[in-house]
Amino acid sequence: MNNLKKLYGPAGWTAILVAVVIMVVLVPVLALAVPKTSAFHLSAYTVTLFGKYLCYAIVALAMGLAWGYGGILSLGHGLFFALGGYVFGMYLMRMIGGLGQYGSTLPDFMVFLDWKTYPWWWAGTDNLAYVLLMVVLVPGVLAFVFGWFAFRSRIKGVYFSIITQALTYAAMLLFFRNETGFGGNNGFTDFKFIAGFPVAEASTRAGLFALTGLVLILALLACRFIVQSKFGRVLTAIRDAETRVMFCGYNPLPYKLAVWVFSAMLCGIAGALYVPQVGIINPSEMSPANSIEIAIWAAVGGRGTLLGPIIGAGIVNAAKSWFTMSFPEYWLYLLGLIFVLTTLFLPQGVMGLVNKWKRAP
């Protein structure tokens, strides 16, 4: 009980309980039980859109943990997100079976390229348990290997950011190639089933939304536990004064590497939840612009907080949805303006403004 109190106070736990009830009970009821003619009915499009926002919120939370508390500004988190999506997309492609355009058990793009069998890296992707494990391990192992060499070489700051962006760009170019077996520039799409349930069914979409909401809450609690532990305090000290921490006898490598890998794993989970809801995954998810946008979510919401990046992801993506429909040619200019204005007038983001209001007499 004391550990629960350390994570959040009564108001915090109440807010979390309300959020769980809304995502697990209220939204599915409004989507499935309320008649379509009612003003309170939530369409499948709305549920999918909000589910996508929740996936983005998990990625933003991962960025907030690595950047806000570890001082690790990554411009390659979109890669880990896409890798989780691709791994789960492989499972979804296997579940199509013989329902594809060519009636083959192979995905349509493999039949088109005259492939006869699955490549070795597709082995086991028809097993849900194996795929769920790979969703975490693939981005986690890549992050570990990359982070080990980068942090061991004392690469940090803008140099680390540039290298992560180069990594995600190289991966994007690789996945665009047809011979890699990931669908080339079209990626994976036309999914039929997930764990035996039709992907297009409203009940499946509502279930995926509820699952994504629960994962977001659990990820928030896990991150909160990390930052309030001794590990988190050392991590924050490394962020603020790494050299001083080394003089105190701490080796920054395991701390930075651990939070970096955990952050990458969260992105992989978010990507796996994103793909069945959106219905497609392709190399464009790895574009450097997407990773930069993730950093903007954290900056807008408030770096150095956990709720801030979640709020920032919601604000930026809601604005993106509206502007790309009303003024699509101006969206990127608006995104840049949001970032510039946040840097100039809200250096602590939205959460900094909220905290300022709370301290006001």
Side-chain angles (χ1 to χ4, degrees):
M1 184 61 69
N2 290 332
N3 290 334
L4 294 178
K5 290 181 179 179
K6 288 180 181 179
L7 287 178
Y8 286 104
W13 282 111
T14 301
I16 288 176
L17 179 61
V18 170
V20 170
V21 171
I22 291 174
M23 292 184 290
V24 177
V25 179
L26 183 59
V27 169
V29 167
L30 294 178
L32 302 176
V34 175
K36 294 183 179 180
T37 55
S38 172
F40 296 100
H41 173 74
L42 289 178
S43 66
Y45 169 79
T46 303
V47 173
T48 300
L49 181 64
F50 287 146
K52 183 172 71 170
Y53 290 170
L54 292 180
C55 294
Y56 289 155
I58 297 173
V59 179
L61 176 64
M63 172 63 78
L65 179 66
W67 185 24
Y69 290 90
I72 305 170
L73 175 55
S74 166
L75 296 181
H77 262 40
L79 171 59
F80 304 128
F81 175 78
L83 285 176
Y86 263 100
V87 171
F88 201 75
M90 294 165 77
Y91 165 78
L92 294 174
M93 294 299 290
R94 297 290 292 266
M95 292 302 101
I96 295 175
L99 298 178
Q101 182 178 353
Y102 298 102
S104 171
T105 55
L106 293 175
D108 287 343
F109 72 87
M110 289 188 181
V111 178
F112 180 78
L113 294 173
D114 199 28
W115 291 25
K116 304 303 181 184
T117 59
Y118 284 102
W120 65 266
W121 54 89
W122 278 71
T125 52
D126 57 342
N127 185 298
L128 182 58
Y130 171 81
V131 167
L132 292 177
L133 180 63
M134 290 298 104
V135 161
V136 176
L137 285 184
V138 170
V141 170
L142 176 62
F144 179 85
V145 173
F146 176 84
W148 171 265
F149 287 105
F151 299 138
R152 194 161 174 256
S153 302
R154 302 291 303 279
I155 298 174
K156 55 185 178 180
V158 66
Y159 303 103
F160 182 86
S161 302
I162 292 173
I163 293 176
T164 56
Q165 190 167 59
L167 176 67
T168 189
Y169 185 71
M172 182 184 69
L173 295 179
L174 176 65
F175 274 68
F176 266 121
R177 300 175 66 88
N178 286 325
E179 57 266 32
T180 56
F182 295 111
N185 62 322
N186 294 320
F188 300 152
T189 189
D190 195 30
F191 308 130
K192 306 295 185 184
F193 299 99
I194 175 173
F197 297 97
V199 172
E201 287 290 332
S203 57
T204 304
R205 293 185 177 277
L208 287 170
F209 175 89
L211 177 61
T212 306
L214 285 177
V215 170
L216 174 60
I217 294 297
L218 291 175
L220 176 62
L221 294 177
C223 291
R224 179 77 171 179
F225 175 79
I226 289 172
V227 300
Q228 289 197 336
S229 65
K230 179 182 176 181
F231 175 93
R233 291 193 292 272
V234 174
L235 184 67
T236 305
I238 293 172
R239 175 199 68 187
D240 296 336
E242 184 173 341
T243 304
R244 291 185 181 183
V245 172
M246 293 176 63
F247 279 127
C248 291
Y250 289 95
N251 180 8
L253 175 61
Y255 291 91
K256 296 173 72 172
L257 187 59
V259 75
W260 168 250
V261 171
F262 182 73
S263 178
M265 289 179 173
L266 282 183
C267 290
I269 294 171
L273 291 167
Y274 172 87
V275 170
Q277 296 184 80
V278 176
I280 188 172
I281 180 71
N282 57 44
S284 64
E285 295 293 342
M286 299 181 184
S287 69
N290 284 11
S291 294
I292 294 174
E293 195 170 327
I294 293 171
I296 292 176
W297 300 342
V300 170
R303 190 168 72 94
T305 67
L306 295 177
L307 287 177
I310 295 175
I311 295 172
I315 292 173
V316 174
N317 283 289
K320 180 178 182 179
S321 296
W322 185 79
F323 261 86
T324 50
M325 287 190 298
S326 303
F327 309 99
E329 64 273 18
Y330 299 115
W331 161 242
L332 290 178
Y333 296 105
L334 176 66
L335 182 64
L337 180 63
I338 290 174
F339 188 60
V340 170
L341 292 178
T342 300
T343 304
L344 292 177
F345 302 106
L346 289 175
Q348 300 302 317
V350 174
M351 288 302 295
L353 185 61
V354 171
N355 293 331
K356 185 178 179 179
W357 286 341
K358 287 182 178 180
R359 292 192 298 266

